[in-house]
């Protein structure tokens, strides 16, 4: 998750949560267009990271 959020690797759930809120916090109260942009960004980033580790 830390890699998806582009932060240093950590097991600190609070730090992960804070990074998520900083990057994607607008999802809770936003326009449909902005919501799609944020979801697309999250999905694309998660896909990149998963592809990186797919062969491992």
């Amino acid at each position: 998750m830390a890699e998806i959020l582009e932060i240093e690797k950590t097991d600190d759930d609070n730090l992960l949560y804070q990074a998520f809120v900083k990057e994607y916090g607008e999802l809770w109260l936003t326009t449909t267009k902005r919501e799609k942009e944020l979801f697309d960004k999250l999905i694309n980033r998660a896909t990149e990271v998963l592809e990186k580790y797919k062969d491992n």
Side-chain angles (χ1 to χ4, degrees), residues 20-38:
F20 182 86
V21 169
K22 181 179 178 183
E23 195 65 34
Y24 301 102
E26 290 180 65
L27 280 174
W28 318 128
L29 197 59
T30 190
T31 64
T32 303
K33 180 182 176 187
R34 182 65 178 146
E35 178 181 323
K36 181 175 177 1
E37 290 171 357
L38 290 171

Side-chain angles (χ1 to χ4, degrees), residues 1-2 9 16 18-21 25 28 30 35 43-44 51-53 56:
M1 191 61 168
K9 185 176 179 181
L16 291 168
Q18 292 299 324
F20 182 86
V21 169
W28 318 128
T30 190
E35 178 181 323
I43 290 167
N44 289 335
E51 287 293 322
K52 179 179 173 181
Y53 293 102
N56 291 340

Side-chain angles (χ1 to χ4, degrees), residues 34-51:
R34 182 65 178 146
E35 178 181 323
K36 181 175 177 1
E37 290 171 357
L38 290 171
F39 270 124
D40 287 347
K41 179 180 178 179
L42 179 58
I43 290 167
N44 289 335
R45 184 64 188 142
T47 301
E48 287 175 19
V49 171
L50 290 173
E51 287 293 322

